[in-house]
Amino acid sequence: MKATAISHANIAFIKYWGKKNTKLNLPQNTTLSVNLDNLTTTTTVEFSDEFKEDSVIIDNEKSTDEFNRTIKFIDIIRNEAKIQLKAKITSVNNFPKKSGLASSSSGFSALALAGSSAAGLKLSEKELTILARRGSGSASRSIPDGIVEWKEGDGNKNSFAYKIHDKDYWDIQAIVLIHTTKEKKVGSTEGHEFARTSPFYDQRLKIINSRISKMKKAIKEKDFETFGLLLEEEAIELHVIAMTSKPPILYWEPKTIEIMKFCQQIRNDKNLPVYFTMDAGPQPVLFCKKKDTKKILSHLKTLKGIEKIIVCKPSDGAKLTSRHLF
Ligand code: DP6
């Protein structure tokens, strides 16, 4: 009873910030995202009566802070599969954890697929998105391929994700700029809880469905400029909500603002269509058309203090692999 899955982090075009049910990870609004091919988590899960206790190893270290959350999720799987066997879980990320690069999306989607397969559960893609969501809301979107919509729903069964476009649908690329690998102080799970204390939160919920429709239309029409402007509007709004919640959460570093301004500057001065977004962290992710990536990268080289640049294209969702980690 061993299975391994590889999954990709996704970045949301339309994000969620605030949950309507914390236990089930039901988001306050529907969201849209894309899976990123070069940000991966690979996870092997084995259930065996030879194990005396559960063990979790993440990035070659025995996990302490992630242990409880991981095992709580494994318990959901054990419960559904009606097994009591102990589990060995080993996981590796190819990018820094907890730096606002959505490691929970790739992490819990890989764990959902590997764990449910190792437990002998035969789940449909929709059921897998529901299961992954229980681990981390955004993980539901890393199960299907390509560009994905996660329907908010109002219960466990109808809050699920599905593909709206294939990975090859649009020749867009994401440029992930890592300028700090420090772990962020307030994780998304905690941040979601404060969202509604922002005086601007109700206003966000009033307009979000109209923004989702506009964004879906822009993607359908491959209207990159409209898409990009909505992308920035949405990312800034999420951070404004975070900054104005009680207590306020400031994810941005000086470098974050420098990169956002730099992005707008090369867009305006060099006539290069490039737009930013970011999740609950300090790392901006720039979106551009594939044909412009090289030029944009050559401009970005002039920026100081960037530790790593990862260029990603849209990717498939979570898949099983026979290459086990142990
Ligand atoms: C800002 O899904 O990571 O990235 O369910 O508590 O793990 P938990 O939260 P998570 O929150 C993601 C927040 C976000 C926006 C988004 O991805 O939609």
Side-chain angles (χ1 to χ4, degrees):
M1 295 184 101
K2 185 198 275 194
T4 301
I6 175 155
S7 190
H8 303 93
N10 69 71
I11 183 130
F13 300 151
I14 298 287
K15 301 164 190 299
Y16 87 111
W17 197 236
K19 298 178 184 177
K20 54 183 159 202
N21 181 317
T22 309
K23 191 166 169 263
L24 293 173
N25 286 338
L26 301 183
Q28 275 294 353
N29 58 270
T30 290
T31 71
L32 302 174
S33 66
V34 66
N35 293 323
L36 301 175
D37 71 339
N38 278 328
L39 301 180
T40 66
T41 302
T42 306
T43 300
T44 299
V45 179
E46 182 173 12
F47 292 101
S48 167
D49 55 9
E50 285 179 12
F51 303 147
K52 297 277 166 290
E53 56 184 25
D54 292 321
S55 66
V56 180
I57 293 170
I58 301 178
D59 290 334
N60 300 316
E61 278 177 27
K62 216 170 163 189
S63 172
T64 43
D65 43 345
E66 304 283 327
F67 183 83
N68 289 344
R69 189 171 174 186
T70 307
I71 296 307
K72 220 171 130 196
F73 184 71
I74 287 292
D75 282 340
I76 297 176
I77 294 177
R78 279 196 277 242
N79 205 22
E80 284 196 23
K82 301 189 174 48
I83 57 171
Q84 271 140 25
L85 299 169
K86 296 291 179 199
K88 177 172 175 181
I89 298 142
T90 300
S91 191
V92 285
N93 294 295
N94 75 343
F95 57 93
K97 280 189 291 157
K98 283 199 181 166
S99 54
L101 284 178
S103 60
S104 67
S105 68
S106 52
F108 279 97
S109 51
L111 189 62
L113 180 56
S116 60
S117 310
L121 289 172
K122 300 223 175 340
L123 302 182
S124 65
E125 180 181 283
K126 180 177 169 184
E127 289 166 333
L128 267 172
T129 73
I130 290 171
L131 175 64
R133 192 203 72 228
R134 300 286 303 275
S136 173
S138 54
S140 61
R141 297 186 306 234
S142 284
I143 298 284
D145 295 342
I147 300 179
V148 174
E149 175 164 6
W150 169 23
K151 282 266 172 227
E152 59 181 292
D154 57 9
N156 187 41
K157 291 267 159 65
N158 64 4
S159 181
F160 60 91
Y162 59 96
K163 174 183 84 177
I164 53 171
H165 295 290
D166 277 322
K167 64 171 184 193
D168 301 319
Y169 169 75
W170 206 8
D171 58 348
I172 53 172
Q173 292 203 320
I175 304 173
V176 182
L177 294 152
I178 301 179
H179 57 85
T180 168
T181 46
K182 267 191 284 174
E183 292 203 350
K184 60 189 185 191
K185 289 198 183 83
V186 185
S188 302
T189 308
E190 212 183 332
H192 284 295
E193 287 183 26
F194 304 133
R196 71 193 69 246
T197 64
S198 162
F200 307 115
Y201 196 60
D202 286 347
Q203 183 58 20
R204 168 171 171 76
L205 295 185
K206 269 189 208 144
I207 58 143
I208 195 71
N209 285 334
S210 130
R211 189 180 292 144
I212 293 168
S213 303
K214 285 186 204 154
M215 175 72 92
K216 280 173 85 171
K217 183 164 177 278
I219 296 171
K220 197 164 171 212
E221 291 171 357
K222 299 190 180 170
D223 174 352
F224 192 68
E225 190 187 348
T226 304
F227 162 81
L229 291 172
L230 288 165
L231 190 75
E232 289 192 354
E233 181 181 302
E234 169 66 3
I236 292 172
E237 186 174 285
L238 182 140
H239 283 270
V240 165
I241 302 275
M243 284 178 209
T244 52
S245 64
K246 289 169 195 64
I249 313 169
L250 267 174
Y251 287 114
W252 290 352
E253 303 281 345
K255 209 28 104 196
T256 315
I257 298 170
E258 190 185 329
I259 297 168
M260 285 154 65
K261 289 188 141 194
F262 193 82
C263 171
Q264 293 186 330
Q265 189 194 324
I266 49 179
R267 180 161 87 226
N268 297 331
D269 298 354
K270 312 281 174 197
N271 205 16
L272 280 170
V274 54
Y275 299 87
F276 62 78
T277 185
M278 71 215 102
D279 279 344
Q283 324 280 12
V285 175
L286 310 189
F287 272 89
C288 63
K289 302 289 278 300
K290 186 167 176 249
K291 64 175 177 51
D292 295 324
T293 306
K294 256 199 192 146
K295 272 193 209 151
I296 291 165
L297 286 174
S298 71
H299 289 295
L300 290 172
K301 280 208 185 95
T302 63
L303 269 177
K304 294 204 171 55
I306 307 293
E307 293 192 16
K308 205 173 172 185
I309 294 183
I310 307 172
V311 177
C312 299
K313 53 183 191 318
S315 80
D316 278 335
K319 302 280 179 246
L320 287 169
T321 162
S322 53
R323 274 190 236 149
H324 302 305
L325 294 176
F326 60 87

